[in-house]
Amino acid sequence: MQLLYIPWPLLDTEAAVDCPGTSFFSHLLEWKYLDRETVSATFIDSSGQSVLSQVVGTSRNPYCGYEHQTLSSQERVEEDSLLTALQWQMPDVGPVPFLQSSDPSSSYFVILNSAAFFKVGSQLEVLVHIQNFQRKPKKYGGDYLQARIHSPKLQAGAVGRVVDYQNGFYKVFFTLLWPGRVQVSVSLVHPSEGIRVLQHLQEEKPDRVYFKSLFRSGRISETTECNVCLPRNLPLCNFTDLYTGEPWFCFKPKKLPCSSRINHFKGGYLKGLLTAAESAFFQSGVNIKMPINSSGPDWVTVIPRTIKETNKLELYQGAGTFPSGYYYKDQWRPRNFKIRQFNDPDSITECLQRKVVYLFGDSTIRQWFEYLTTFVPDLVEFNLGSPRNVGPFLAVDQKHSILLKYRCHGPPIRFTTVFSSELRYVANELNGIVGGKNTVVAIAIWSHFSTFPLEVYIRRLRNIRRAVVQLLDRSPKTVVVIRTANAQELGPEVSLFNSDWYNFQLDTILRKMFSGVGVYLVDAWEMTLAHSLPHKLHPDAVIVKNQLDMFLSFVCPLET
């Protein structure tokens, strides 16, 4: 679902690809020869001066003062527009008691433009009225809703666009895309009172997922905590990437040098983040992803259009079409692209013959590797001795000259154990790829950034985008595909770390930052929300299959 507010002030700024000043990088490269054990609080600014970290930085976010990346004017305008657009409109009402918060069981929706029959392509409008647990109408907005239309017998579904009128009323707009009986479903993902808590955690508790590293030399070993930002009251090991400037720190071991780091792994999740009053806004079966019922009919009848009307309707479908697609007979049908069905292993083999495929990112794109190696017998996984579910992974089809690689993105990454030597940033990996007509790159990077302020994710995508642009400049025939975020199952604890509300923000940023760059988009967000299956961080096989049909259709499009 795309959730828009009126007005929607995001500027369609041209993607900025300027590199930081050469003086910064030349001094940064010189810096790597310094004794890292003695510079725990020392950084190099853009003029090459060695200064204390506490007084360096251009970040406007107060969570950390380390940032030494200088933004160009274009990048600053883009970041400002992104952050402005994602400012969730919250009422200034102060603390709200639970009984006065949004109650999905008391709320309802009605179909506004009810008619005996609708035609395919018509717009359906639904009005949602939110009430509290005292069954009184709410006078302000800020709730996070998801909505879809579906026809279970046809295995069809599509998402709707939600508009918040900031007075307790919301309107949902649907495009009716198939004939038959079409049902409306609306859910409250989080009440506005819960969103306020999530906002606070995003800005004030970016360390609520913490990481660790093992340091070892001979018989001595120590484990310390690591993160994007750490308090400066203890000496730190600075593992900021020398090429991208991506920051990463660990507390310095007491007896060992920073160079003795062996691995990286997820430490855990902070507990006790909420007060008792705040916890009331995060209750399974009460106010997390709960259905809102209709006060009248929740379905309409849709009839086909004539051939002439259908051709006229298709003229208006193009880039930026909403929704981007829909399910029909459990097959995803994008509205601005002709998708192919890769229903047997031979069709996939034929498409990928003589190609090198790179999959970079989190576990949601690792699913693609697992699906392909399971479904295509000739793609044989080569045992690299990598940790399970971590990688890197490699599969080869020697007969058809297919090479398939998966590698996880750099920290923050919430995997069990990643060896330090295998911690690679996607931008750096892209810079090592020659590219060409037989090179395919797919990237999914979102879930592990949900706990951080948005500037952290924007910086990571900026580095990846710069590397993608350079790759396409030197090898224009390279196919680059971006997999978007997806919805997932939510409970009281998961909501504080991986809420759909966090991931909706990341998804919006990703789409805007890669708009016009020359990459293809697999809309995993709509593909999970539109389907009848329960939301999962790792969607079921039928959804993954549709994602790969889309991906492979970009690699091997229908001949027209």
Side-chain angles (χ1 to χ4, degrees), residues 92-130:
D92 187 15
V93 294
V96 176
F98 171 71
L99 290 178
Q100 295 178 23
S101 67
S102 305
D103 175 17
S105 64
S106 299
S107 305
Y108 61 90
F109 72 85
V110 293
I111 295 175
L112 290 180
N113 54 338
S114 58
F117 296 100
F118 290 84
K119 287 188 175 182
V120 170
S122 299
Q123 291 291 307
L124 182 67
E125 296 182 15
V126 172
L127 186 69
V128 184
H129 192 194
I130 301 296

Side-chain angles (χ1 to χ4, degrees), residues 61-206:
N61 193 297
Y63 80 98
C64 227
Y66 62 81
E67 190 174 43
H68 50 245
Q69 179 172 347
T70 302
L71 301 183
S72 70
S73 58
Q74 286 180 304
E75 290 169 340
R76 176 65 70 191
V77 168
E78 179 185 48
E79 185 168 295
D80 286 342
S81 67
L82 288 167
L83 296 176
T84 299
L86 288 168
Q87 285 180 352
W88 200 262
Q89 295 189 29
M90 294 295 295
D92 187 15
V93 294
V96 176
F98 171 71
L99 290 178
Q100 295 178 23
S101 67
S102 305
D103 175 17
S105 64
S106 299
S107 305
Y108 61 90
F109 72 85
V110 293
I111 295 175
L112 290 180
N113 54 338
S114 58
F117 296 100
F118 290 84
K119 287 188 175 182
V120 170
S122 299
Q123 291 291 307
L124 182 67
E125 296 182 15
V126 172
L127 186 69
V128 184
H129 192 194
I130 301 296
Q131 300 194 125
N132 63 29
F133 285 90
Q134 296 171 327
R135 295 191 173 275
K136 294 181 179 179
K138 291 191 69 177
K139 303 297 184 183
Y140 55 87
D143 302 290
Y144 178 38
L145 308 178
Q146 291 174 348
R148 72 184 186 105
I149 48 175
H150 53 107
S151 299
K153 289 184 178 180
L154 297 174
Q155 295 177 299
V159 301
R161 188 190 303 275
V162 179
V163 176
D164 183 351
Y165 288 98
Q166 293 295 308
N167 57 4
F169 286 94
Y170 300 77
K171 192 175 281 189
V172 189
F173 298 88
F174 298 100
T175 301
L176 300 169
L177 296 166
W178 61 88
R181 177 175 168 137
V182 177
Q183 188 173 341
V184 175
S185 293
V186 181
S187 297
L188 174 74
V189 182
H190 291 299
S192 58
E193 296 78 15
I195 296 294
R196 188 186 299 274
V197 176
L198 295 179
Q199 282 181 320
H200 174 77
L201 292 175
Q202 187 177 47
E203 295 299 326
E204 304 299 330
K205 295 287 184 181

